[in-house]
Amino acid sequence: MKKLLLLMVVALTMTTAFGQVEKAKSLLDEIAATPDDAKLAEAKKAINEAIANAKPNKLAYIYNVAGQVELRYLNQEIDKMQAEQPLDTALFISCMDKAVEYFTKSYEIDHTPDAKGRVKPKFDYGDKYTIGEHDGNLVWMKRIIGYYLISAQFCYKNGDKHRAYEYYMKHLSLPKSPLFTPAQRDSIYKSDSRYPLVGYYATILVFQDKDYDKVLQTVDYAIQSTDETTREDGYHMKSTALLQKGDTAKWLATLKDAMENTNNVNYPQIILKYYYDRHEQAEASKIADEFVAKAPNNKMAHYIKGVVLMDEGKDLEARKCFQDAVAIDENFAEAVSNIGVTYFNEVRELNQKATTDNKDPKYKAQQEELKAKLLETKGYFDKVQTLAPGNPDLWEAKLNNINSLLDVVNTNLSEIAKRDKK
């Protein structure tokens, strides 16, 4: 009699759990046609009772429906957001977490091998006889994959940077969920342009806190961005983190990568300074040669080679490299400035060699040659001033020197002209 009673209790429990999940599913179907807060609350109560009373072999189905219940709450908040109405951000975030938890549990149970070691999933994509052919675990997870980003933005706007970072990380890691195969994971990362930006946001938050280990966990997302500013900032944060951690080899490798993939002249200059400080000019020259060979259409390759040659005192060869860089980008202010520097070095040589005796027969011709060279040189720095007015280091001191020399030369030529009239 006791055994029979026990069996009846077990059967009743199973029937109750199954009945509750069916009730929840039926209510969800009704709400899909006509939203109803009372029915949604009833569906949530039913699914919670189903979870509490279910046999293990029914949980895959129950957790799937539980995930759908949470998404129904979440979608109501999205509707408010789209209508520009106040919404419950805490509820949004909570439902998002629970939905992911439930779909993941459903998937894991659904993919557990049976007694014979076979895996026969039923709820990846669903079917029209049970949960609905568009209500599978994989289907829903792909649909909601961007909702963690919304959760992160809510936290950030509310001033909670630590939780914002937590949800940025959840967004970044969701494609690594066991629900997705490696191929599906890679496809999600490649097809969604938000990941580099989300990685950038996450990295900024921990970079501000100088948590360099966490910086290195996410910064490569930013570096993969097609946006130049995002990419440059990413390289800056990565190189800084590696330098602070004392990893010189990876720091140099990152600088070389940045040199090849950004238009920021600071990176090649940092590399050159590193080798020059160690009196390893040959290594600097080797890097420049390899860069030009690898990327002949990259303006930075010609620029860095020009810098190396100019430091070696080979101005004519350096000028050719800077001219090659400008041929690729006519607005490359740093390269134009360095062309001007090579000409200004010629001005100095002419000035040093010129006679100071205004009675010397060569004096007038030398002053005229000097003036012509000064005007040619001035043209480059005038252009740099136009290209980079906010970066006076590239042109201001040079133009002041040139204008001062021009005043002297013009005065000299004027005095000669007066003397010749007498």
Side-chain angles (χ1 to χ4, degrees), residues 387-398:
L387 292 173
N391 191 359
D393 288 345
L394 293 177
W395 51 267
E396 189 171 53
K398 284 87 170 178

Side-chain angles (χ1 to χ4, degrees), residues 6-71:
L6 181 61
L7 288 173
M8 288 176 63
V9 171
V10 171
L12 180 61
T13 301
M14 291 175 61
T15 302
T16 300
F18 186 75
Q20 291 298 96
V21 72
E22 289 299 314
K23 178 181 178 180
K25 185 67 176 71
S26 176
L27 287 167
L28 285 178
D29 291 339
E30 293 177 22
I31 295 167
T34 306
D36 188 314
D37 289 347
K39 288 183 178 180
L40 182 55
E42 190 178 351
K44 183 161 186 172
K45 180 181 178 183
I47 202 65
N48 286 340
E49 291 178 1
I51 292 172
N53 297 318
K55 294 285 286 184
N57 63 346
K58 298 293 183 182
L59 278 172
Y61 175 33
I62 293 173
Y63 278 132
N64 171 276
V65 177
Q68 293 187 55
V69 171
E70 295 300 329
L71 288 185

Side-chain angles (χ1 to χ4, degrees), residues 84-274:
E84 298 184 353
Q85 297 175 353
L87 67 151
D88 189 336
T89 58
L91 178 63
F92 182 103
I93 294 170
S94 172
C95 291
M96 179 69 205
D97 277 331
K98 288 179 181 177
V100 172
E101 176 189 350
Y102 288 146
F103 288 129
T104 302
K105 284 182 176 179
S106 176
Y107 178 90
E108 290 172 343
I109 295 169
D110 198 28
H111 282 252
T112 300
D114 61 19
K116 295 183 180 180
R118 298 171 299 185
V119 176
K120 295 182 177 181
K122 299 178 182 179
F123 305 111
D124 283 358
Y125 298 98
D127 62 69
K128 61 183 177 180
Y129 300 110
T130 55
I131 59 173
E133 55 190 337
H134 299 297
D135 291 332
N137 296 317
L138 283 172
V139 176
W140 278 117
M141 285 289 276
K142 286 181 179 179
R143 287 178 183 171
I144 66 177
I145 207 161
Y147 288 1
Y148 270 141
L149 176 55
I150 299 174
S151 298
Q153 290 169 332
F154 285 152
C155 293
Y156 187 82
K157 288 180 180 179
N158 289 334
D160 193 339
K161 293 183 179 180
H162 291 293
R163 285 200 78 200
Y165 176 77
E166 176 188 345
Y167 282 93
Y168 283 137
M169 292 302 294
K170 286 185 176 184
H171 179 83
L172 292 173
S173 62
L174 192 57
K176 299 175 184 177
S177 161
L179 276 77
F180 302 118
T181 66
Q184 289 171 328
R185 175 200 64 207
D186 293 344
S187 176
I188 292 169
Y189 281 130
K190 290 177 182 177
S191 62
D192 192 333
S193 61
R194 292 173 296 185
Y195 283 100
L197 195 57
V198 175
Y200 176 66
Y201 291 152
T203 305
I204 285 177
L205 291 179
V206 289
F207 185 78
Q208 291 171 343
D209 292 337
K210 298 183 179 180
D211 191 336
Y212 297 119
D213 287 323
K214 286 185 178 179
V215 166
L216 295 174
Q217 291 176 17
T218 55
V219 71
D220 284 341
Y221 287 101
I223 287 173
Q224 293 166 10
S225 175
T226 56
D227 178 71
E228 186 173 332
T229 300
T230 301
R231 196 166 59 250
E232 283 192 13
D233 286 350
Y235 279 118
H236 168 69
M237 290 186 287
K238 184 173 183 177
S239 61
T240 300
L242 290 168
L243 187 63
Q244 292 297 320
K245 289 178 65 64
D247 195 333
T248 303
K250 288 185 179 179
W251 174 71
L252 278 172
T254 299
L255 291 177
K256 291 177 184 177
D257 193 30
M259 178 178 71
E260 296 178 11
N261 291 288
T262 73
N263 292 314
N264 192 327
V265 297
N266 289 328
Y267 295 117
Q269 290 170 348
I270 293 171
I271 293 173
L272 294 181
K273 183 179 185 304
Y274 173 81

